[in-house]
Amino acid sequence: LCLVPLWSLTSLPSNRSARWERDVDVTKQASKRDFDRLRNHVAMEEESMRMGEIASALEDAASLLRKSTKKEAEALALANEWKRKYEIEKAKVETLQREPGASDSSESLPAIFSKSSSINKLNQIYVDDCGGSEVGAAAAAAISLAAAHAFSMASDGRKSHAILRRTISQPGKVGFRLICNVQDKDDTCAGYEKYIWSNELRLMWLETPRQILMVMKPQREVRIRAMAIIQDLLDHGLTVLLEPSVAQSFESLTNSHMIRTWEDDSLPQQEIDNIDFVVTLGGDGTVLWATKLFGDGPVPPVISLAMGSLGFMTPFPVDEYKNVIDECISAGFRLNLRHRLHCSILKAGKGPQCNAKGHSVLNEVVIDRGGSPFLTQLECYCDENFATMVEGDGLIISSTTGSTAYNLAAGGPIVQPEVPAMIFTPVCPHSLSFRPLVFPSTVTLKITVPDTARANCNIYYDGSDKQILERGDSVLISMSMFPVPHVAYNTPITDWFHGVRQNLHWNLRKPQLKLSG
């Protein structure tokens, strides 16, 4: 038999009860720790959700603030653009007011245009005895040309006959007379009167020009030909202004002391003021470069001698330079006004940080994707009205002069250069229905790179002067107030059709045979 002590039997239930109590306490403590951990986790989740909501609200507020800043900047830029147009128009009207001492001398330009006379006379605009002004003879000529052209387009030629006089008394400037034939009467039509409309401009010198700017293509054969041309100009008693890169090549000529140049990278304003006309020796690119030397301001008349490839803007054969120069100096010349585009950049979030002078282009403004593999995204507005979203390789905004350049290669329309318009042509659009448009010269186009664009864009002015357009940046494009007065070989229409036929072989085909009897 196994004998068990009585004290052990009596202590058995008490030991078990103590163990149970200990287990219950441990379980309670573990449950409390788990509950505390769960409560802390829930609190952290709630705090994280609140922080996420606050961050989202802050991001929405920042987005609204950016949009508000952008709209304010765009509004300021638009206001500055209209202010610039107003100041130019105001200056043009003031300079074109009637000479002091004449009757109704305080009359404004539109009132002068409303004068009426007999329609049996040839309607002409005369700008008499225009010497220099504070902006010089070249600027005076260009401003007068722009005003005369604006009148020929806007006035009612059937009922008006205007004589516009502008006299500048400042001495030391070469005077000229500008004539614009608005209409002519054809008496050969029986039973009714027929009027022949013409915007032909002609400039007549009142005295011999004194200084010309010659711009040439940087090639050896061009410089050799330029020797004889510059010598002929010097023999006429003209001062010849040459670019610094070529001036030293002509120091051996007779009367070389009358050859001048400048030292800075850009053409100084004091030299611009004294230039009476420009002679270019090269191709269309030389003409573009010559007009770019004058920046955004007026350009003197340009005589282009052909030594390039196609030559839409070089109507004069270089072999005829003697007759051309003699005729232009002694008898004057016909003019073709080639409209330019004015462009300014609006940087995102920086207010109206536009280029102070902007850019004036004779051919086109191109915005493309550059080296980016992504489609270009461009928001396009016309007078602040949304027009379209361009998605493709890029966009061309062309003048009518540039309609036969990049615009033509991209499938845009060919437009006669005297038409005041802007051509809107996409480059390889990813769409089956995107077609080019032609806008009137009175509108302002705004092209914006949206914030959602995948990459920045490049912008080019006449194929050069590359700039980067970042997300949020915009470019404002309008018609420049100063067209390029380009000297015509025959008439502007004749020269243009000759260029289209000869250079592009426009509508060239074998003629259909006559039906046999």
Side-chain angles (χ1 to χ4, degrees):
L1 294 173
C2 181
L3 298 177
V4 179
L6 292 175
W7 60 267
S8 62
L9 294 175
T10 57
S11 63
L12 196 67
S14 61
N15 292 336
R16 186 181 301 162
S17 174
R19 228 175 14 253
W20 287 347
E21 290 177 356
R22 285 196 301 273
D23 291 342
V24 169
D25 291 339
V26 170
T27 303
K28 286 182 178 179
Q29 292 176 1
S31 299
K32 184 178 181 182
R33 286 196 300 272
D34 292 342
F35 176 76
D36 290 341
R37 283 198 298 269
L38 180 61
R39 184 178 61 184
N40 291 336
H41 179 72
V42 171
M44 290 177 64
E45 288 289 336
E46 292 178 351
E47 185 67 20
S48 177
M49 291 177 63
R50 285 196 296 271
M51 292 298 294
E53 292 175 355
I54 294 173
S56 177
L58 289 175
E59 185 177 353
D60 293 340
S63 177
L64 291 174
L65 184 59
R66 284 196 300 269
K67 291 181 179 178
S68 175
T69 304
K70 181 179 177 181
K71 289 182 179 179
E72 181 180 358
E74 291 175 353
L76 288 173
L78 184 63
N80 287 339
E81 179 70 13
W82 281 108
K83 181 180 178 182
R84 182 186 70 85
K85 290 184 178 180
Y86 169 76
E87 290 175 349
I88 293 175
E89 283 287 344
K90 181 180 178 182
K92 186 174 69 174
V93 169
E94 289 176 353
T95 57
L96 291 173
Q97 285 180 342
R98 300 179 72 177
E99 58 184 347
S103 59
D104 301 330
S105 60
S106 61
E107 192 173 18
S108 63
L109 185 62
I112 296 175
F113 284 164
S114 65
K115 296 291 185 180
S116 61
S117 178
S118 172
I119 61 175
N120 293 325
K121 298 180 180 179
L122 175 66
N123 281 356
Q124 293 179 329
I125 300 174
Y126 295 100
V127 183
D128 285 347
D129 304 334
C130 289
S133 66
E134 294 180 358
V135 293
I143 293 173
S144 301
L145 293 173
H149 191 63
F151 166 71
S152 66
M153 292 187 299
S155 64
D156 186 358
R158 296 180 181 85
K159 297 182 179 179
S160 66
H161 172 71
I163 298 179
L164 176 63
R165 297 183 180 274
R166 177 172 177 265
T167 301
I168 305 298
S169 58
Q170 182 178 349
K173 303 296 182 181
V174 177
F176 64 91
R177 172 176 294 168
L178 179 71
I179 303 174
C180 177
N181 295 331
V182 179
Q183 75 172 15
D184 195 4
K185 183 179 176 182
D186 186 357
D187 295 324
T188 61
C189 303
Y192 64 95
E193 292 181 341
K194 178 182 177 182
Y195 292 91
I196 302 173
W197 295 91
S198 171
N199 288 333
E200 180 181 318
L201 293 172
R202 180 179 288 274
L203 187 144
M204 307 292 294
W205 298 112
L206 299 179
E207 51 187 306
T208 304
R210 301 191 183 103
Q211 178 168 298
I212 67 105
L213 169 66
M214 187 168 188
V215 181
M216 66 189 70
K217 200 174 184 179
Q219 291 182 356
R220 183 174 178 274
E221 58 271 20
V222 176
R223 293 188 184 184
I224 293 174
R225 179 57 68 94
M227 285 280 189
I229 299 175
I230 293 177
Q231 187 63 66
D232 188 67
L233 292 169
L234 295 175
D235 293 342
H236 279 85
L238 294 172
T239 300
V240 179
L241 189 64
L242 296 175
E243 292 183 272
S245 59
V246 299
Q248 293 182 353
S249 303
F250 303 95
E251 292 180 350
S252 60
L253 295 176
T254 307
N255 296 328
S256 61
H257 64 279
M258 300 180 66
I259 297 177
R260 303 178 59 247
T261 185
W262 63 92
E263 297 180 357
D264 300 332
D265 294 335
S266 58
L267 184 60
Q269 185 61 47
Q270 59 268 25
E271 298 291 353
I272 293 177
D273 292 344
N274 295 316
I275 295 174
D276 294 315
F277 64 93
V278 180
V279 175
T280 66
L281 193 59
D284 292 342
T286 309
V287 178
L288 293 177
W289 175 254
T291 58
K292 193 176 295 185
L293 293 175
F294 295 87
D296 197 35
V299 180
V302 179
I303 303 171
S304 300
L305 301 175
M307 286 196 72
S309 300
L310 287 179
F312 284 100
M313 293 186 288
T314 55
F316 294 99
V318 68
D319 294 334
E320 300 180 9
Y321 74 90
K322 270 189 170 295
N323 294 332
V324 172
I325 292 176
D326 292 344
E327 185 76 14
C328 290
I329 292 176
S330 60
F333 37 76
R334 296 187 184 93
L335 288 173
N336 175 18
L337 290 184
R338 294 185 177 271
H339 300 276
R340 293 192 292 173
L341 303 179
H342 178 270
C343 315
S344 55
I345 301 295
L346 170 64
K347 301 300 290 184
K350 295 184 180 180
Q353 299 292 328
C354 302
N355 295 340
K357 296 183 179 179
H359 287 80
S360 283
V361 298
L362 184 56
N363 268 359
E364 74 277 308
V365 183
V366 178
I367 305 173
D368 65 15
R369 60 190 178 92
S372 170
F374 303 110
L375 289 175
T376 297
Q377 283 188 318
L378 299 172
E379 293 177 354
C380 304
Y381 299 84
C382 177
D383 284 344
E384 292 301 311
N385 298 304
F386 178 75
T388 188
M389 170 76 80
V390 176
E391 291 185 316
D393 280 353
L395 177 66
I396 302 169
I397 307 296
S398 170
S399 68
T400 49
T401 292
S403 66
T404 51
Y406 194 3
N407 168 76
L408 173 67
I414 300 177
V415 184
Q416 208 275 337
E418 289 185 306
V419 178
M422 292 184 285
I423 306 172
F424 181 93
T425 304
V427 180
C428 298
H430 197 256
S431 171
L432 294 176
S433 58
F434 202 157
R435 293 294 179 265
L437 299 175
V438 178
F439 289 98
S441 61
T442 55
V443 304
T444 297
L445 300 179
K446 184 178 75 172
I447 314 298
T448 302
V449 181
D451 296 331
T452 57
R454 293 191 177 185
N456 297 331
C457 297
N458 297 334
I459 182 170
Y460 304 88
Y461 307 98
D462 278 341
S464 61
D465 299 333
K466 172 185 170 183
Q467 286 184 280
I468 303 297
L469 287 180
E470 300 176 340
R471 296 176 184 87
D473 291 353
S474 301
V475 55
L476 300 177
I477 305 172
S478 58
M479 190 68 70
S480 172
M481 296 303 299
F482 302 110
V484 176
H486 194 242
V487 179
Y489 184 74
N490 292 298
T491 66
I493 293 295
T494 304
D495 289 349
W496 182 73
F497 271 113
H498 179 270
V500 171
R501 291 194 187 103
Q502 296 298 319
N503 298 328
L504 298 178
H505 300 288
W506 174 70
N507 198 27
L508 182 64
R509 69 180 297 273
K510 188 176 180 180
Q512 189 177 33
L513 296 177
K514 181 181 179 181
L515 289 175
S516 59

